[in-house]
Amino acid sequence: MSQTLRERLLNELDTIVLIDPHTHIDPHQPAARTLADILGYHYYTELAHSAGMLRSDVEEPDLAPREKVRRLVAHLEPLQNTIQYSWLIDIARSFFGFADEHVTRDNWEGLYDAAQRTLSATDWPQQVLRRSGLEAVLLTNDFDDPLEGWDTSVYVPCLRTDDLVFRLHEPAVGQRLAAVTGVDLASPRALREALARLFTRFTARHARACAISLPPGFTPIPICASRAETAWDAICRAPQQCGEDERQTLAHFVFWTLAELCADFQLPFDLMIGVHRGVYRGGVYQGQDLYDSRVSLIQYGELFNAFPQVTFPVSVLASVANQELTSYAWIFPNVVTSGHWWYSNTPAYIEHDLAARLEVVPGTKQIGYYSDMYKLEFGLPKFRMYKRVLAKVLAERFVIDRGWSETRALELGRQVLRGNVDRVFGPAGRAGRPRP
Amino acid sequence: MSQTLRERLLNELDTIVLIDPHTHIDPHQPAARTLADILGYHYYTELAHSAGMLRSDVEEPDLAPREKVRRLVAHLEPLQNTIQYSWLIDIARSFFGFADEHVTRDNWEGLYDAAQRTLSATDWPQQVLRRSGLEAVLLTNDFDDPLEGWDTSVYVPCLRTDDLVFRLHEPAVGQRLAAVTGVDLASPRALREALARLFTRFTARHARACAISLPPGFTPIPICASRAETAWDAICRAPQQCGEDERQTLAHFVFWTLAELCADFQLPFDLMIGVHRGVYRGGVYQGQDLYDSRVSLIQYGELFNAFPQVTFPVSVLASVANQELTSYAWIFPNVVTSGHWWYSNTPAYIEHDLAARLEVVPGTKQIGYYSDMYKLEFGLPKFRMYKRVLAKVLAERFVIDRGWSETRALELGRQVLRGNVDRVFGPAGRAGRPRP
Amino acid sequence: MSQTLRERLLNELDTIVLIDPHTHIDPHQPAARTLADILGYHYYTELAHSAGMLRSDVEEPDLAPREKVRRLVAHLEPLQNTIQYSWLIDIARSFFGFADEHVTRDNWEGLYDAAQRTLSATDWPQQVLRRSGLEAVLLTNDFDDPLEGWDTSVYVPCLRTDDLVFRLHEPAVGQRLAAVTGVDLASPRALREALARLFTRFTARHARACAISLPPGFTPIPICASRAETAWDAICRAPQQCGEDERQTLAHFVFWTLAELCADFQLPFDLMIGVHRGVYRGGVYQGQDLYDSRVSLIQYGELFNAFPQVTFPVSVLASVANQELTSYAWIFPNVVTSGHWWYSNTPAYIEHDLAARLEVVPGTKQIGYYSDMYKLEFGLPKFRMYKRVLAKVLAERFVIDRGWSETRALELGRQVLRGNVDRVFGPAGRAGRPRP
């Protein structure tokens, strides 16, 4: 019974038109141009490298797309068990008419050419969105992105703030901020003004979120004016020589200011908690980051207390932090569970984490999934993977274990897949927090 | 096969008459008086608040029960997915003849009135116990509870010691202790005498356990006499000005003394490990506590070594600590796994944690479940939830995976549900530790 | 469908001839001599002690095997639910013709005698290997093991290095090292030379791995020559008085040197991460160790970066560290997931951890299982337990959830059970790391 039930639920979930609440899509080039843009996704380069491929094989300058694909295909066999490989096959079959079980040295050229024919259609981005059931995607924009030249109702801007929080002590970053805002960054007060101008510019272009990824040790605290000034002065005077202490003070100051601006501008603040950058120094591009799972949301207690009017969609990198996430979202009105991030974005962890969330976090406070994709083609296989797990959990844990009707289970599915995305990131997006 | 098997096992488990080994029942008012006592449970107020209800909506002074229920019902919709909401529906159906799927603005008044009729029966507490298959419940008594006026064979006293360990530096707590014991608390030795008198008084009233909840950072250590004296002197001299250091020394001294007294009086010492109090300061009553899952039972290694004659039923707040709990109970004769506490008391975590315990901890050393309830009506839905998971785990992991007979699986179920409660908390309650 | 599918997969997996990549087998006495060698396994003594048996019951000097078994059997009842007990029954049935459900006071003598008859066959070790489908087993040899007197193609040496890293400050250990290598350990340089001679000797005897178990806090770092010298001088001068700091410096120096030698000698370096020794001081022999699950592979980041040419098969003691392990193996070419160790070697944790690994770690980089056994009889029940879980995960998560053919699922099973053992520990054993 369970399998046909899952099938039925999946088919229904598949009819829902979605908004993808977090992607890295380039709105000027949202879809792949060649198969190399798909196989060049870090999941494939890093796994192929992990299984024996030299980094230089794919990072050679001026490597032609066809050659890049040829080299990667030669290292795909050890990856055939992975869920990431299944996304590739799903893309190949769904979009490029691929009929084989595996992409191999023997058949990749046919696939490459078939992909080429499909991808070169001028309306391909619109096609792939439609065929993937996607209505819009949220982006991840640098703070100095001009935000011009695309339809922001389909490619919705989102202010990414990692550089501002963690690299503002680097002169180049400060110069970019000064340039784009026209503010002379002479003081923390001027910094705040510059940040406020970013928010004005982003919200004018219909930005729907502010977002940041954070290392495991980060613990937001407010910084008093005088301490911020001392740190900022030291950094401006001698950026190369300033110590870790000044840098951290600046990071805390900027982070807290961003939270204040999210309150002022009514933007949700996406927190993606737990990544250590550059752990594997010999790794391929975007394949060097890992984590320390020893992180607690207690570190964010003061932030959640200080900003009851800001909605925080929170992602955690390690599945062992998921129970804290569910508990904090169960207690704090302004904390929302958000998707299944990166190393936890695999069926086994999604199933475990999703089951825990669905049974204790208010149904209105769960953002089911985001794709995190760089190219639109990945929306379909990633959301499909998620929906398969969602159908399994709804079937086994709600319809079977708790005696729910299928209709009721599907309503919950719709709510986490779409309803809450509208609710949190919609024009009037506000989670279920008390109105002040 | 699995579903009908689960059904059969559940039906058998449902026939077992239980003792609830940990509750917050008030023996003078054990059952709900109105539906407000049920909907006022912190699980509903905190979840409703988390989903958008103002705290003041339910914490207004002199709020009439009917009005309180009306307000809460208005915020129940976002909670319909939660397991806690399912307890409410289970209570409404099992006890109040409720026939709808949901409690809504349209039908709550009928439910309120039906509940009223049922709850006003003079023998309702006895009825609800009988209909819930409960023979007795352990309480959680303040140390200065008079322990008079009820049948202690049904409402079994248990000495709760949080105040003694963590708040004895507050003059009011010391005064309560002096008053109830008649001991002048002039020295640590006198303190010990006062604590011993508590044990005498509690055991004379048939208390069956000493219990405490502990923050994640707590690490029990013995305190030498002179250090205890210095700290106690400092605290007595200037309670407002004493430092964190003195307070901690006192906490450690009292905790260790309690363990000694548990040894002397042959009482099990329930440890409930991992809670941070008051994390969400704006939360509703009893809806402010959370945790840091970074806790280890290694912190309790010295305690377990020092008191081989004391049985420690241990609960952990975070499911990620459950493997340590199972391992420590597998190795230490005096450590017993105890229930599924609070944020881990949901089907997904119970299933995961229970499966791990059942396969490695000696069958005699597992206290399956306690309800933690404040009102008797919650015993039925909470134990039923647990038994459903227990039946699932026994069916899937023992009968199917390991080829056990149903009879054998049920024996294990009985042991963790009832047999071990008698064994650990019975009049001669002692876990399977070596007799000295 | 799922159950018959699992059955079919299990039957196929059962035909694979295996190499056990980590055991504590004594090659001079690989099999049990009496049932006491089986029931004397620490899993039974520690669980029986945990459930009430006095340590002295089994640790009495000169205890006759038959009497030891009699005493242990008297305490087996509370263990009947455990997976470890199921290994015992599996052994009794598979090898000794046992036909009852339980070993009890009433039937143990028959079993003892039947075991005796079987175990006394001169070719029993060969028989048990054959009947268990084992072709060879890797050992765990002390660094001064003579490595003489057995067939190293069946009992493959492996250099265990715990003593070298953590106890070289003890004069006795230094003396053993000097004696076996003929090196005067006057300096860190001489130490390195002695260690290199061990590697020469071990590899000459076909050793296939270097292995170590590590406490949760250990963080490998390189030690510069002068610091190593200062520490070694202090230790040599006054071994009793040297501080924790010198000992740690020495441990780090030796550990890093071992990694260098693994690179030079092309040996994989098995890291078994997370054990605290001697936590329960009153515990039975080998039943005193526990852990602190707060450990992160970030502690090993520098090691993995520094030795790209060394394969590190990594085991973690706590299941909560398994996601980090899978992620590090997914990113680092030289990290391989290895088995399910000790407190995580139970079906519930294997299922959870295995499912996570199979879906993201390249198929070539997963060592499915090792038995960790002390006596050959345990290979059969332990591998069978693992294969049952493997069949379950392949059936449910690959064939059913992902639509794989059974053939394909079995190939993955074969790869983790056997193929990768050849690949990593074979004569030319090297995991999927880039060739330099």
Side-chain angles (χ1 to χ4, degrees):
Chain A
M1 161 195 177
S2 158
Q3 270 172 266
T4 53
L5 168 61
R6 281 163 60 177
E7 215 56 50
R8 275 200 307 278
L9 294 177
L10 179 57
N11 287 340
E12 286 300 314
L13 294 174
D14 244 347
T15 63
I16 305 169
V17 175
L18 302 172
I19 291 172
D20 188 337
H22 178 68
T23 77
H24 294 267
I25 291 296
D26 172 0
H28 303 293
Q29 185 60 258
R33 289 156 307 179
T34 70
L35 192 59
D37 281 345
I38 288 166
L39 259 176
Y41 196 14
H42 69 82
Y43 287 102
Y44 304 113
T45 55
E46 74 201 13
L47 280 166
H49 174 58
S50 175
M53 185 189 72
L54 290 178
R55 173 179 169 177
S56 54
D57 274 5
V58 287
E59 299 198 351
E60 200 179 296
D62 306 318
L63 186 61
R66 198 173 188 97
E67 174 61 12
K68 185 173 184 175
V69 169
R70 192 190 65 76
R71 292 183 185 182
L72 275 160
V73 166
H75 290 89
L76 284 184
E77 199 182 328
L79 280 52
Q80 289 176 357
N81 59 300
T82 65
I83 196 69
Q84 294 89 346
Y85 178 84
S86 78
W87 303 338
L88 173 69
I89 300 299
D90 201 2
I91 288 172
R93 287 186 185 161
S94 301
F95 297 132
F96 309 141
F98 189 69
D100 292 351
E101 190 171 7
H102 293 299
V103 179
T104 68
R105 289 164 208 254
D106 296 328
N107 66 13
W108 73 269
E109 297 205 273
L111 174 61
Y112 191 95
D113 295 335
Q116 208 55 10
R117 284 190 296 276
T118 303
L119 299 175
S120 55
T122 35
D123 70 339
W124 175 243
Q126 293 86 314
Q127 268 193 57
V128 69
L129 280 172
R130 188 172 34 75
R131 289 167 65 179
S132 306
L134 282 171
E135 186 177 297
V137 304
L138 270 74
L139 309 176
T140 296
N141 304 90
D142 282 338
F143 67 82
D144 52 354
D145 187 317
L147 304 176
E148 299 285 347
W150 73 80
D151 178 351
T152 57
S153 71
V154 176
Y155 300 104
V156 185
C158 164
L159 172 59
R160 183 68 174 238
T161 57
D162 297 51
D163 281 356
L164 295 168
V165 171
F166 295 110
R167 297 180 51 219
L168 198 53
H169 61 274
E170 299 176 18
V173 177
Q175 283 150 21
R176 281 168 56 204
L177 180 58
V180 75
T181 59
V183 175
D184 172 15
L185 306 176
S187 67
R189 180 185 297 262
L191 264 183
R192 196 192 193 287
E193 171 58 25
L195 296 174
R197 290 196 189 173
L198 293 181
F199 274 70
T200 302
R201 194 165 63 81
F202 268 76
T203 50
R205 290 294 292 154
H206 311 109
R208 290 307 320 139
C210 176
I212 189 167
S213 73
L214 299 150
F218 193 72
T219 301
I221 43 165
I223 298 292
C224 69
S226 67
R227 227 183 126 212
E229 228 157 297
T230 315
W232 184 239
D233 286 353
I235 287 165
C236 292
R237 218 177 312 115
Q240 312 302 339
Q241 288 130 49
C242 78
E244 188 51 31
D245 188 47
E246 276 88 14
R247 262 180 257 171
Q248 274 194 21
T249 299
L250 179 62
H252 284 131
F253 171 76
V254 174
F255 183 87
W256 204 264
T257 305
L258 291 172
E260 290 168 351
L261 292 166
C262 284
D264 294 349
F265 287 81
Q266 303 206 354
L267 276 193
F269 196 174
D270 282 346
L271 306 181
M272 310 183 79
I273 296 173
V275 62
H276 264 309
R277 301 288 176 184
V279 172
Y280 172 36
R281 291 189 300 270
V284 299
Y285 174 66
Q286 293 186 326
Q288 309 188 345
D289 305 335
L290 280 158
Y291 56 99
D292 180 336
S293 52
R294 295 169 301 182
V295 60
S296 172
L297 290 188
I298 196 83
Q299 300 167 219
Y300 293 83
E302 283 317 294
L303 180 76
F304 299 151
N305 274 302
F307 297 97
Q309 70 281 52
V310 175
T311 299
F312 295 97
V314 176
S315 299
V316 289
L317 193 45
S319 172
V320 291
N322 182 67
Q323 193 189 7
E324 282 200 24
L325 176 53
T326 65
S327 302
Y328 281 68
W330 147 359
I331 291 295
F332 275 102
N334 52 344
V335 176
V336 167
T337 61
S338 177
H340 301 270
W341 190 30
W342 204 342
Y343 292 108
S344 290
N345 183 24
T346 76
Y349 288 117
I350 294 173
E351 187 178 331
H352 189 255
D353 297 346
L354 174 62
R357 293 178 194 177
L358 285 181
E359 70 192 18
V360 295
V361 178
T364 46
K365 296 183 63 195
Q366 307 188 39
I367 298 290
Y369 195 70
Y370 51 79
S371 74
D372 220 0
M373 64 184 167
Y374 285 76
K375 291 294 173 189
L376 290 179
E377 288 78 5
F378 282 93
L380 182 138
K382 286 186 160 191
F383 270 100
R384 196 177 274 169
M385 171 187 75
Y386 174 73
K387 285 183 280 194
R388 271 202 314 263
V389 181
L390 178 59
K392 187 181 184 183
V393 171
L394 290 173
E396 293 179 355
R397 297 185 170 272
F398 288 80
V399 178
I400 296 177
D401 288 1
R402 290 172 60 181
W404 281 29
S405 68
E406 294 182 36
T407 310
R408 189 175 168 193
L410 285 168
E411 271 164 32
L412 180 56
R414 262 186 219 107
Q415 190 173 32
V416 303
L417 266 168
R418 174 66 198 253
N420 293 335
V421 178
D422 292 336
R423 184 178 173 81
V424 172
F425 298 106
R430 341 186 73 231
R433 58 210 143 79
R435 266 127 239 141
Chain B
M1 161 192 178
S2 159
Q3 270 173 265
T4 53
L5 168 60
R6 281 163 60 177
E7 216 56 50
R8 275 199 307 279
L9 295 177
L10 179 58
N11 287 340
E12 286 300 314
L13 294 173
D14 243 347
T15 64
I16 305 169
V17 175
L18 302 171
I19 291 172
D20 188 336
H22 178 68
T23 77
H24 294 267
I25 292 295
D26 172 0
H28 302 294
Q29 186 60 258
R33 290 158 305 178
T34 70
L35 192 59
D37 282 345
I38 287 167
L39 259 176
Y41 197 12
H42 70 82
Y43 287 103
Y44 305 113
T45 54
E46 74 201 14
L47 281 166
H49 174 57
S50 175
M53 185 190 71
L54 290 179
R55 175 180 169 177
S56 53
D57 274 5
V58 287
E59 299 198 351
E60 199 178 296
D62 305 318
L63 188 59
R66 198 174 190 98
E67 173 62 13
K68 186 173 183 175
V69 170
R70 192 189 65 76
R71 292 183 185 180
L72 276 159
V73 166
H75 289 90
L76 283 184
E77 199 182 328
L79 280 53
Q80 289 177 355
N81 60 300
T82 65
I83 196 69
Q84 294 89 347
Y85 177 84
S86 79
W87 303 339
L88 173 69
I89 300 299
D90 201 0
I91 288 173
R93 288 187 186 160
S94 302
F95 297 133
F96 310 140
F98 188 67
D100 293 350
E101 191 171 7
H102 293 298
V103 179
T104 67
R105 290 166 207 252
D106 296 327
N107 65 13
W108 74 269
E109 297 204 273
L111 174 61
Y112 191 93
D113 295 334
Q116 206 57 8
R117 284 188 297 274
T118 304
L119 300 175
S120 55
T122 36
D123 68 338
W124 175 244
Q126 293 85 315
Q127 269 193 57
V128 69
L129 281 171
R130 188 172 34 76
R131 289 166 66 177
S132 306
L134 282 170
E135 186 177 298
V137 304
L138 271 73
L139 309 176
T140 295
N141 304 90
D142 282 338
F143 67 84
D144 52 354
D145 188 316
L147 303 177
E148 299 287 347
W150 72 81
D151 179 351
T152 58
S153 72
V154 176
Y155 300 105
V156 185
C158 165
L159 172 59
R160 183 68 174 239
T161 58
D162 297 51
D163 281 355
L164 295 168
V165 172
F166 296 110
R167 296 179 51 219
L168 199 53
H169 60 275
E170 300 176 15
V173 176
Q175 283 152 19
R176 282 167 55 204
L177 180 58
V180 74
T181 60
V183 175
D184 172 16
L185 305 176
S187 67
R189 181 186 297 262
L191 262 183
R192 195 191 193 289
E193 172 58 24
L195 296 173
R197 291 196 189 175
L198 293 182
F199 275 70
T200 302
R201 192 164 65 82
F202 268 77
T203 50
R205 291 293 293 154
H206 313 109
R208 290 310 318 141
C210 176
I212 190 168
S213 74
L214 299 150
F218 192 72
T219 301
I221 44 166
I223 298 293
C224 68
S226 67
R227 228 183 124 211
E229 229 156 298
T230 313
W232 185 239
D233 286 353
I235 287 165
C236 292
R237 218 178 313 116
Q240 312 302 340
Q241 286 130 49
C242 79
E244 189 51 31
D245 189 46
E246 276 88 15
R247 262 179 259 173
Q248 274 193 22
T249 300
L250 179 63
H252 284 132
F253 171 76
V254 174
F255 183 86
W256 205 265
T257 304
L258 291 172
E260 290 168 350
L261 292 166
C262 284
D264 293 350
F265 286 82
Q266 303 204 357
L267 276 194
F269 197 174
D270 282 346
L271 307 181
M272 311 184 78
I273 297 173
V275 61
H276 264 309
R277 301 289 176 183
V279 173
Y280 171 35
R281 291 190 299 270
V284 299
Y285 175 65
Q286 293 187 327
Q288 309 188 345
D289 305 335
L290 280 157
Y291 56 99
D292 179 337
S293 52
R294 295 170 301 183
V295 60
S296 172
L297 289 189
I298 197 83
Q299 301 167 216
Y300 293 81
E302 283 317 293
L303 179 77
F304 299 150
N305 274 301
F307 296 96
Q309 70 280 51
V310 175
T311 299
F312 295 97
V314 176
S315 299
V316 288
L317 192 45
S319 173
V320 292
N322 182 66
Q323 194 188 7
E324 282 200 24
L325 176 54
T326 65
S327 302
Y328 280 68
W330 149 359
I331 290 296
F332 275 101
N334 52 346
V335 175
V336 167
T337 60
S338 178
H340 301 271
W341 189 30
W342 202 344
Y343 293 108
S344 290
N345 182 25
T346 76
Y349 288 116
I350 294 173
E351 186 177 332
H352 189 255
D353 296 346
L354 175 62
R357 294 178 192 177
L358 285 180
E359 69 192 19
V360 296
V361 178
T364 46
K365 295 182 65 197
Q366 307 187 38
I367 299 291
Y369 194 70
Y370 52 78
S371 74
D372 220 357
M373 63 184 167
Y374 285 76
K375 292 294 172 189
L376 289 179
E377 288 78 6
F378 283 93
L380 182 138
K382 287 185 160 191
F383 270 99
R384 195 177 274 169
M385 171 188 75
Y386 174 73
K387 285 184 278 192
R388 272 203 313 264
V389 180
L390 178 59
K392 186 180 185 184
V393 170
L394 291 173
E396 293 179 355
R397 297 186 169 272
F398 288 80
V399 177
I400 295 178
D401 288 0
R402 291 172 60 182
W404 280 30
S405 68
E406 294 181 35
T407 310
R408 189 174 167 194
L410 285 169
E411 271 163 30
L412 180 56
R414 263 186 218 105
Q415 192 173 30
V416 303
L417 266 169
R418 173 63 198 254
N420 293 335
V421 178
D422 291 336
R423 186 179 172 82
V424 172
F425 298 106
R430 340 186 74 230
R433 60 208 141 81
R435 264 128 240 141
Chain C
M1 161 194 176
S2 158
Q3 270 172 266
T4 54
L5 168 61
R6 282 163 59 176
E7 216 56 50
R8 277 200 306 279
L9 294 177
L10 179 57
N11 287 340
E12 286 300 314
L13 294 174
D14 244 346
T15 64
I16 305 168
V17 175
L18 302 171
I19 291 172
D20 189 337
H22 177 69
T23 77
H24 295 268
I25 292 295
D26 171 0
H28 303 293
Q29 185 61 257
R33 291 157 304 179
T34 71
L35 192 59
D37 281 346
I38 287 167
L39 259 176
Y41 196 13
H42 69 82
Y43 287 103
Y44 305 114
T45 55
E46 72 201 15
L47 280 166
H49 174 57
S50 176
M53 185 189 71
L54 290 178
R55 173 179 169 177
S56 53
D57 274 5
V58 287
E59 299 198 352
E60 198 179 296
D62 306 319
L63 187 60
R66 197 173 190 97
E67 174 61 12
K68 185 173 184 176
V69 169
R70 192 189 65 77
R71 293 183 184 180
L72 275 160
V73 166
H75 289 90
L76 284 184
E77 199 183 327
L79 281 53
Q80 289 177 356
N81 60 300
T82 66
I83 196 69
Q84 294 90 347
Y85 178 84
S86 79
W87 303 338
L88 173 70
I89 300 299
D90 201 1
I91 288 172
R93 288 186 186 161
S94 302
F95 298 133
F96 310 140
F98 188 68
D100 293 350
E101 190 172 8
H102 293 298
V103 180
T104 67
R105 291 166 207 251
D106 296 327
N107 65 12
W108 74 269
E109 297 205 273
L111 174 62
Y112 191 94
D113 296 335
Q116 208 56 9
R117 285 189 296 275
T118 303
L119 300 174
S120 56
T122 38
D123 69 339
W124 175 244
Q126 294 85 315
Q127 269 193 56
V128 68
L129 280 172
R130 188 172 33 75
R131 289 167 65 178
S132 307
L134 283 170
E135 186 177 298
V137 304
L138 271 74
L139 309 176
T140 295
N141 303 90
D142 282 339
F143 67 83
D144 52 354
D145 188 316
L147 303 176
E148 300 286 348
W150 74 81
D151 179 352
T152 58
S153 72
V154 176
Y155 301 104
V156 185
C158 164
L159 173 59
R160 183 68 174 239
T161 58
D162 298 50
D163 281 355
L164 295 168
V165 171
F166 295 109
R167 296 179 50 217
L168 199 51
H169 61 275
E170 300 176 15
V173 177
Q175 283 151 22
R176 283 167 55 203
L177 180 58
V180 75
T181 60
V183 175
D184 172 15
L185 305 176
S187 67
R189 181 186 298 263
L191 262 184
R192 194 192 195 289
E193 172 57 23
L195 296 173
R197 290 196 190 175
L198 293 182
F199 274 70
T200 302
R201 194 165 62 81
F202 268 76
T203 50
R205 290 294 293 155
H206 312 109
R208 291 308 318 140
C210 176
I212 190 168
S213 73
L214 299 150
F218 193 72
T219 301
I221 43 166
I223 298 292
C224 69
S226 68
R227 227 184 127 209
E229 229 156 299
T230 314
W232 185 238
D233 286 354
I235 287 165
C236 293
R237 220 177 311 117
Q240 311 303 340
Q241 287 130 48
C242 79
E244 188 51 30
D245 188 47
E246 277 87 15
R247 263 180 257 171
Q248 274 194 20
T249 298
L250 179 63
H252 284 133
F253 171 76
V254 174
F255 183 87
W256 204 265
T257 305
L258 290 172
E260 290 168 351
L261 292 165
C262 283
D264 293 350
F265 287 81
Q266 303 204 355
L267 275 194
F269 197 172
D270 282 345
L271 307 181
M272 310 183 79
I273 296 173
V275 62
H276 265 308
R277 301 289 177 185
V279 173
Y280 172 35
R281 293 190 299 270
V284 300
Y285 175 65
Q286 294 186 327
Q288 309 188 344
D289 305 336
L290 279 157
Y291 56 98
D292 179 337
S293 52
R294 294 169 301 182
V295 60
S296 172
L297 290 187
I298 196 83
Q299 300 167 219
Y300 293 82
E302 281 319 293
L303 180 78
F304 300 150
N305 274 302
F307 296 97
Q309 70 280 52
V310 175
T311 298
F312 295 97
V314 176
S315 298
V316 287
L317 193 44
S319 172
V320 291
N322 182 67
Q323 193 188 8
E324 281 199 26
L325 176 54
T326 65
S327 302
Y328 279 69
W330 147 0
I331 290 296
F332 275 102
N334 51 345
V335 176
V336 167
T337 61
S338 178
H340 301 270
W341 190 30
W342 204 343
Y343 293 108
S344 291
N345 182 24
T346 76
Y349 289 117
I350 294 174
E351 186 177 332
H352 188 254
D353 296 347
L354 175 61
R357 293 178 193 178
L358 285 180
E359 69 191 21
V360 296
V361 178
T364 46
K365 297 183 63 197
Q366 306 188 39
I367 299 291
Y369 195 71
Y370 52 77
S371 75
D372 220 358
M373 64 184 165
Y374 286 76
K375 292 295 172 189
L376 289 179
E377 288 78 5
F378 283 92
L380 183 138
K382 286 184 161 192
F383 270 100
R384 196 176 273 170
M385 171 188 75
Y386 174 73
K387 285 184 279 194
R388 270 203 313 262
V389 181
L390 178 59
K392 186 181 185 183
V393 171
L394 290 173
E396 293 179 355
R397 297 185 169 272
F398 288 81
V399 178
I400 295 178
D401 288 0
R402 290 172 60 182
W404 280 30
S405 68
E406 293 182 36
T407 310
R408 189 174 169 195
L410 285 168
E411 272 164 28
L412 180 56
R414 262 187 217 104
Q415 192 174 29
V416 303
L417 266 168
R418 174 64 198 254
N420 293 335
V421 177
D422 292 336
R423 184 180 173 82
V424 172
F425 298 106
R430 344 185 72 230
R433 58 208 141 79
R435 265 129 240 140

